[in-house]
Amino acid sequence: MSEFRNVKFQELNKDGSVKKDFKGAKWIAIAAAAVIVAANSFTIVPAGHTGVVMTLGKVSEANYQEGFHLKVPFIQQVEKMSNKIQVYETPSSAVSKDLQTVSSTVAVNYRLLSDKSPEMYKNVGMDYQMVLITPAVQECMKSATAKYTAEELITERAAVGEAVKSALDSKLNSYGIYIEKFNIVNFDFSEEFNNAIEAKQVAEQNLLKTKTEQEQAIEIANADAKRKVIAADAQAEATLKEAEARAEANRLLEESLTDKVIAYEQIQKWDGVMPKVTNGENGGLLFNVDLDDASSQKTGS
């Protein structure tokens, strides 16, 4: 009877033998459960992320930083939120101060502050880019564009970008979103405005060309006038020097022409013929000739 009692709680094989018990299978099940529990007992937060801890769905104020962390299995979950710099690019449409329609493409470099990650997840969730950043960018872009004319938006592009960045910071910093950089990728205006800008640029270039040509002509005229003045001064100086040289030569000549020299020159050039008309005591001769003696000698002969 006791044997029957022992047998009736055991499973029999087809041949009537007693099957072995399921102790091995139980240990396998326990080991598998232990592995599952162990796998859910820790988490690893990657670099550049913050782990937001939720206990039975409730967000904890404490968060996990980068690295290995233990957690209560099946009770706590960890949502990993990126704190790296992210890029958000979107088209934007606005109206300028002079009522020109302005279409633009903007790019926002931003990051989520780690200590604000739990609050951000609790109040906004993971879709904070669409919920917070998109409307803020559109609003700030419209507000900044309205303060500038269409032409100023082109010439003051950097100032417009800084104004939008400052406005975004004031709106988003309280949520833990920090704007690293704001870029206006491009501005696009209506075809009429683009044609007007092109016509204005052509006119300004023509005006600049004309002004440049006039300035060049004035420079050439001034240079030519200066050259003429320099040449006249040089000619006057040369004439003055020549006159001074002649005067000096005449002076030297005058000083050198003594009576003896003049007489010598006359004797050298005299042809032996007595002059028919004479002035002076000796008739202009270089030496005294007694005409009476000469006449008497001619008569006696």
Side-chain angles (χ1 to χ4, degrees):
M1 189 67 178
S2 60
E3 292 180 0
F4 175 77
R5 289 176 180 174
N6 292 334
V7 172
K8 73 177 181 178
F9 293 103
Q10 295 176 342
E11 189 176 355
L12 301 177
N13 292 321
K14 292 182 178 180
D15 58 358
S17 61
V18 179
K19 285 185 176 181
K20 295 182 179 180
D21 56 20
F22 293 91
K23 289 183 179 181
K26 290 179 182 179
W27 283 113
I28 293 174
I30 292 172
V35 170
I36 294 173
V37 171
N40 285 274
S41 298
F42 69 91
T43 186
I44 297 176
V45 179
H49 288 71
T50 297
V52 178
V53 182
M54 292 170 288
T55 303
L56 296 176
K58 181 180 179 181
V59 178
S60 302
E61 294 183 0
N63 54 50
Y64 289 163
Q65 300 301 314
E66 304 168 359
F68 177 86
H69 300 275
L70 295 174
K71 66 184 184 68
V72 180
F74 309 110
I75 302 297
Q76 290 182 322
Q77 287 81 37
V78 178
E79 188 69 38
K80 302 173 182 66
M81 300 186 72
S82 177
N83 301 124
K84 295 181 179 180
I85 296 177
Q86 303 178 64
V87 180
Y88 170 64
E89 187 170 316
T90 184
S92 177
S93 180
V95 178
S96 65
K97 187 178 181 180
D98 53 350
L99 303 181
Q100 293 289 335
T101 301
V102 183
S103 299
S104 58
T105 301
V106 299
V108 184
N109 291 11
Y110 71 94
R111 63 184 178 89
L112 180 64
L113 301 179
S114 60
D115 57 345
K116 291 284 187 177
S117 296
E119 185 178 351
M120 174 66 74
Y121 187 85
K122 180 180 179 180
N123 296 328
V124 181
M126 296 294 292
D127 198 17
Y128 49 85
Q129 180 173 285
M130 185 62 64
V131 176
L132 296 176
I133 298 178
T134 298
V137 168
Q138 297 298 332
E139 180 183 352
C140 294
M141 196 65 190
K142 286 179 170 61
S143 177
T145 302
K147 298 177 182 179
Y148 297 86
T149 64
E151 186 174 353
E152 289 172 342
L153 289 174
I154 299 174
T155 58
E156 302 293 334
R157 186 168 182 166
V160 177
E162 286 298 321
V164 177
K165 180 182 180 299
S166 178
L168 285 174
D169 272 330
S170 64
K171 285 183 174 295
L172 299 175
N173 284 171
S174 60
Y175 294 98
I177 297 175
Y178 178 75
I179 306 300
E180 292 283 348
K181 193 173 183 181
F182 180 85
N183 292 309
I184 300 175
V185 180
N186 70 284
F187 278 123
D188 190 17
F189 303 92
S190 64
E191 184 177 356
E192 293 79 6
F193 180 77
N194 289 333
N195 291 336
I197 289 293
E198 183 177 359
K200 181 179 179 181
Q201 289 176 342
V202 171
E204 289 178 349
Q205 289 175 356
N206 290 335
L207 179 61
L208 180 61
K209 180 180 178 182
T210 301
K211 184 178 179 181
T212 302
E213 290 175 350
Q214 291 175 348
E215 290 176 351
Q216 289 177 347
I218 293 173
E219 288 292 333
I220 292 173
N222 290 336
D224 187 55
K226 288 179 180 179
R227 284 196 297 270
K228 289 180 179 180
V229 170
I230 293 172
D233 291 343
Q235 182 64 33
E237 185 176 357
T239 302
L240 179 61
K241 288 182 178 179
E242 183 179 357
E244 291 176 350
R246 287 180 180 178
E248 180 65 15
N250 291 334
R251 185 184 64 79
L252 294 175
L253 180 61
E254 184 179 356
E255 291 177 354
S256 63
L257 291 177
T258 63
D259 293 339
K260 292 181 179 181
V261 172
I262 294 172
Y264 175 78
E265 290 293 332
Q266 288 179 343
I267 293 171
Q268 292 296 323
K269 294 180 180 180
W270 184 43
D271 55 0
V273 178
M274 295 296 293
K276 295 180 179 181
V277 179
T278 62
N279 290 318
E281 296 179 354
N282 57 358
L285 296 177
L286 298 177
F287 50 86
N288 294 324
V289 178
D290 190 350
L291 295 178
D292 293 336
D293 293 341
S295 296
S296 60
Q297 291 176 2
K298 183 178 180 181
T299 304
S301 63

